[in-house]
Amino acid sequence: MTNAPARKHTALPKAQILIEALPWLVRHNGKTVVIKFGGNAMIDEELKAAFAQDVVFLHHAGLKPVVVHGGGPQISAALDKHGIVSEFKAGLRVTTEDAMDVVRMVLAGQVQRELVGLLNQHGPLAVGLTGEDAHTITATRHRPEIDGELVDIGRVGEITDIDTGAIEALLADGRIPVVSSIARSQDDGHVYNVNADTAAAALAAALGAETLMVLTDVEGLYEDWPNSDEVISRLTASQLEKLLPELSSGMVPKMEGCLHAVRGGVTTARVIDGRVQHSILLEIFTDEGIGTMVVPDAPEGDAE
């Protein structure tokens, strides 16, 4: 009998952690959360496995996760193998017809398949689709402006329409949709490579998601980088809009995506550190949270 109190004592922290999660479980139950999978979490085996566990946990905790992914490092490696030079303009990959074939093959045939496989180790849950399927994502040719001139960067798309029907049907069936960031063309019968951060934000807004989460390779949005590594834990859409011109090129599509999402009705958008195992659970189910959270300008009853 003497060891009973010791047993209780060692189990107590686990109970406290579960109880801390309770208000968040209640708040998020039945809500859709769109997660952009990218960065180191996409190439490190342990982080990949932890990511899959987190998404399945959300599913079993009563949330409706939707995963959106790109595949920058994998695309670069495959293009290299095919002897196609990777070129970037205005922070976007120049995508020729030949390169587009490789992009489509890598995203839908490699990255998506691996992620679906990791999730389905935990049950018959994940279903992969691309933006081409059921007109989920429609785009037109994107021509960025460089030095005052519009530049043709090939089959890079600007999203013009989202049809959430297929994703909503999968969610209603208790599945986890895994979406590759490829879009059907609005006007010429081809397909487009679209930025995965932008695609995740557009889907989050169209789905009326509670939360958009963007995994990245930094702790969040820094207060005064590179002079300080203090992370801004929370800011409003207007505050973010003012900061956008000062951000590094890699953070711009992520933070523009967050801005688009909260202005489109998503309750919160978060940039979190995908290098931290179980960062998704830490962000959603703990009082502290990690990363940077963006909220609409006039949040009502939002938890601090």
Side-chain angles (χ1 to χ4, degrees):
M1 293 296 289
T2 52
N3 62 1
R7 274 208 307 275
K8 280 182 195 166
H9 177 71
T10 55
L12 198 56
K14 292 178 184 173
Q16 285 169 335
I17 288 163
L18 291 169
I19 291 302
E20 186 181 320
L22 182 58
W24 305 102
L25 282 165
V26 171
R27 177 180 166 184
H28 294 300
N29 191 50
K31 301 286 173 57
T32 300
V33 52
V34 175
I35 305 162
K36 156 57 189 347
F37 178 58
N40 268 320
M42 191 179 247
I43 48 179
D44 178 287
E45 295 304 320
E46 285 185 12
L47 289 172
K48 268 194 282 200
F51 173 82
Q53 288 173 333
D54 283 8
V55 173
V56 172
F57 186 97
L58 295 185
H59 170 81
H60 286 301
L63 287 82
K64 296 175 177 175
V66 176
V67 179
V68 179
H69 72 88
Q74 294 92 332
I75 290 168
S76 294
L79 288 172
D80 215 24
K81 209 180 280 183
H82 284 78
I84 300 170
V85 177
S86 288
E87 186 188 353
F88 291 85
K89 287 183 182 175
L92 296 166
R93 185 187 298 277
V94 177
T95 310
T96 61
E97 298 291 340
D98 287 347
M100 189 64 228
D101 288 342
V102 175
V103 168
R104 196 184 199 181
M105 178 181 73
V106 170
L107 292 182
Q110 179 189 332
V111 180
Q112 183 199 90
R113 291 297 92 208
E114 184 179 17
L115 189 47
V116 166
L118 282 168
L119 290 165
N120 284 345
Q121 285 177 10
H122 305 279
L125 298 170
V127 177
L129 64 156
T130 79
E132 300 166 72
D133 293 314
H135 293 188
T136 299
I137 306 174
T138 300
T140 190
R141 189 179 290 258
H142 174 59
R143 289 183 170 86
E145 194 174 304
I146 302 173
D147 299 329
E149 285 190 33
L150 293 178
V151 178
D152 186 359
I153 53 171
R155 303 224 64 83
V156 175
E158 190 168 316
I159 297 171
T160 56
D161 193 45
I162 298 281
D163 184 331
T164 58
I167 291 174
E168 286 175 345
L170 288 168
L171 291 173
D173 193 34
R175 310 294 177 182
I176 300 171
V178 178
V179 187
S180 303
S181 58
I182 304 165
R184 68 183 281 269
S185 170
Q186 177 182 292
D187 35 38
D188 64 10
H190 289 280
V191 294
Y192 284 109
N193 180 16
V194 294
N195 180 287
D197 297 311
T198 309
L203 279 170
L207 285 162
E210 167 81 3
T211 299
L212 167 69
M213 303 184 87
V214 180
L215 267 67
T216 184
D217 283 344
V218 292
E219 294 168 83
L221 192 59
Y222 294 113
E223 190 97 43
D224 183 25
W225 185 260
N227 305 317
S228 159
D229 61 359
E230 278 292 304
V231 171
I232 302 169
S233 60
R234 176 190 172 108
L235 74 170
T236 65
S238 292
Q239 288 169 331
L240 172 57
E241 198 166 29
K242 288 194 187 91
L243 285 177
L244 278 176
E246 302 161 27
L247 301 183
S248 65
S249 60
M251 283 302 274
V252 168
K254 296 178 192 331
M255 299 316 301
E256 279 182 344
C258 289
L259 184 62
H260 173 80
V262 295
R263 290 243 161 106
V266 177
T267 310
T268 63
R270 306 145 189 256
V271 172
I272 60 173
D273 193 344
R275 301 168 303 177
V276 177
Q277 282 202 18
H278 304 300
S279 55
I280 293 170
L281 298 188
L282 288 168
E283 180 63 24
I284 283 199
F285 293 129
T286 68
D287 292 338
E288 292 83 18
I290 59 170
T292 296
M293 180 164 75
V294 182
V295 296
D297 287 319
E300 291 176 8
D302 210 63
E304 288 292 336

